[in-house]
Amino acid sequence: MTPEDQEETQPLLRPLSGSVPRGRRVFLAAFAAALGPLSFGFALGYSSPAIPSLRRAAPPAPRLDDAAASWFGAIVTLGAAAGGVLGGWLVDRAGRKLSLLFCTVPFVTGFAVITASQDVWMLLGGRLLTGLACGIASLVAPVYISEIAYPEVRGLLGSCVQLMVVIGILLAYLAGWVLEWRWLAVLGCVPPSFMLLLMCCVPETPRFLLTQHKRQEALAAMQFLWGPEQGWEEPPVGAEHQGFQLAQLRRPGIYKPFAIGISLMVFQQLSGINAVMFYAETIFEEAKFKNSSLASVIVGVIQVLFTAVAALVMDRAGRRLLLALSGVVMVFSTSAFGAYFKLTQGGPSNSSHVDLLAPVSTEPADASAGLAWLAVGSMCLFIAGFAVGWGPIPWLLMSEIFPLDVKGVATGVCVLTNWLMAFLVTKEFSSLMEVLRPYGAFWLASAFCIVSVLFTLFCVPETKGKTLEQITAHFEGR
């Protein structure tokens, strides 16, 4: 297929004469889809308050030991990796809307299994199911929102995916203060249940309907989402939806976004976010915060605030600027974090064991507390920097840069990459720090952040203000 042929097959969904759509139902549809990422965030945050509660549980309730607690937190990422593959298959065959409706089933079922758990295996099974739903939601929700949004608000609405994730995490932290693990799981059933109800009231995306040759339904969906039909350019009927074939990887319009999307997901996980979150409670304790759960809430609030800031400025500042700015902030904050651990861990030891969670300071108590506050500042700066760019934008760009005919497979590969990297980083993080020491691990993360900034500047295109068809044309060289 030549670029000229490809141009004819792309549906053209944009207002005439540069007018801005007046429809507001697009915001309702985006909110309905974003309840999936909210559920996803709640499932991720659930383990933080639930694990201490499960460690204290008395028979006949299930009780977690150290090994089981580790798997209780990590198994979600394995389920999500599988969910990314399943979501990539579903999104092209069942459609965007039906895929979102489907992901509510493992969400509710998983939390119901956790609620009814009588042993550790039921707990792990419930977490695996919620992880599967997380993988589907993390893929389908950005795709649905990017395809229903017009260019002027696509950055805002697309960034709300990550915003809802961090709100879900914060909600789990806050609810964990007053609810024990069973009732917390019951609360986890609420967002996907609301999502099921609201998604029944909104249409499938016009672009997907066009690939299925449902032109009248596509126009009706566009009118529902964007406002009255008058003054809109009618989208042409696309060629039959062929799906992905390996031969397509020879086309620049396919392999370029593939390389960018996968690289963005890899850099997101190598940025050091898991390392910083791993140390968050310990750092606050070093700074004399006695309540470790308060530390989690503070981290959650910072994430929500700065992700909201990113959403508000996304369509003005652009994706590349925010990614580069985010990367620079993370370079300095991870470097400062490494310096903190270098200063507090003192000289070399003859012991082969590295106590990763308890830095031994050779400084006086006041100096140690001062260094701890340096670490708190570095951590808050890192989280703010991550939330402004590398948190939301890889997911937003993933939903924007792929052509319709390969979107399911391509986004599935990106989500699979992200969750597998998250699993590997989470499981191997302690081993890495035994080899490199904590300061070496953070300085390695700083190096990855430098590479991510260079990658952004030289390889990532700006997509603000462009239709999805114009972005595809850019990669095809048209």
Side-chain angles (χ1 to χ4, degrees), residues 103-406:
C103 82
T104 63
V105 176
F107 265 131
V108 174
T109 305
F111 279 119
V113 169
I114 292 173
T115 303
S117 291
Q118 299 300 315
D119 55 42
V120 171
W121 289 107
M122 289 185 71
L123 287 173
L124 294 180
R127 290 287 283 169
L128 190 64
L129 280 173
T130 57
L132 182 74
C134 287
I136 299 172
S138 66
L139 184 150
V140 183
V143 171
Y144 181 88
I145 291 172
S146 73
E147 290 188 5
I148 64 170
Y150 42 90
E152 289 78 9
V153 298
R154 196 175 63 242
L156 168 67
L157 296 181
S159 299
C160 286
V161 171
Q162 181 70 9
L163 177 61
M164 293 296 267
V165 171
V166 295
I167 288 175
I169 293 173
L170 180 59
L171 177 63
Y173 290 165
L174 292 172
W177 275 0
V178 294
L179 298 176
E180 57 96 30
W181 63 274
R182 286 193 196 272
W183 285 106
L184 198 60
V186 171
L187 180 61
C189 296
V190 175
S193 299
F194 272 113
M195 177 184 167
L196 179 65
L197 294 175
L198 285 177
M199 284 303 301
C200 291
C201 303
V202 298
E204 178 59 89
T205 72
R207 287 179 171 89
F208 178 77
L209 291 171
L210 282 168
T211 65
Q212 305 300 305
H213 302 290
K214 297 178 180 179
R215 182 170 175 272
Q216 291 303 316
E217 291 181 34
L219 289 174
M222 189 166 64
Q223 183 176 2
F224 177 91
L225 294 165
W226 290 6
E229 188 177 344
Q230 291 79 9
W232 296 97
E233 183 174 340
E234 290 194 358
V237 180
E240 186 174 352
H241 189 53
Q242 298 291 338
F244 176 74
Q245 298 174 349
L246 281 176
Q248 291 176 293
L249 286 174
R250 293 193 294 250
R251 287 169 40 200
I254 305 296
Y255 70 75
K256 286 182 180 179
F258 245 108
I260 291 171
I262 291 171
S263 299
L264 288 171
M265 294 304 181
V266 170
F267 282 126
Q268 184 191 62
Q269 291 301 323
L270 294 178
S271 66
I273 183 63
N274 287 293
V276 172
M277 299 304 286
F278 182 76
Y279 268 111
E281 292 189 6
T282 303
I283 294 303
F284 275 100
E285 288 170 4
E286 290 285 314
K288 310 305 181 189
F289 278 78
K290 299 301 181 184
N291 190 341
S292 61
S293 55
L294 175 62
S296 299
V297 171
I298 291 172
V299 169
V301 169
I302 294 171
Q303 285 182 309
V304 170
L305 288 177
F306 282 90
T307 306
V309 169
L312 292 174
V313 302
M314 188 71 67
D315 287 309
R316 296 184 181 90
R319 285 63 155 160
R320 292 178 77 247
L321 175 62
L322 289 178
L323 270 182
L325 177 64
S326 172
V328 170
V329 170
M330 292 192 298
V331 168
F332 285 107
S333 52
T334 49
S335 298
F337 234 133
Y340 162 75
F341 281 106
K342 180 69 172 175
L343 291 170
T344 56
Q345 284 192 336
S349 170
N350 292 328
S351 171
S352 61
H353 173 71
V354 181
D355 190 356
L356 299 175
L357 290 177
V360 179
S361 177
T362 58
E363 302 289 333
D366 290 343
S368 179
L371 285 174
W373 277 105
L374 169 65
V376 169
S378 299
M379 181 186 66
C380 293
L381 183 65
F382 177 90
I383 293 168
F386 181 83
V388 165
W390 280 94
I393 294 177
W395 298 103
L396 172 61
L397 285 173
M398 178 195 76
S399 67
E400 292 180 323
I401 60 179
F402 295 114
L404 282 172
D405 54 336
V406 301

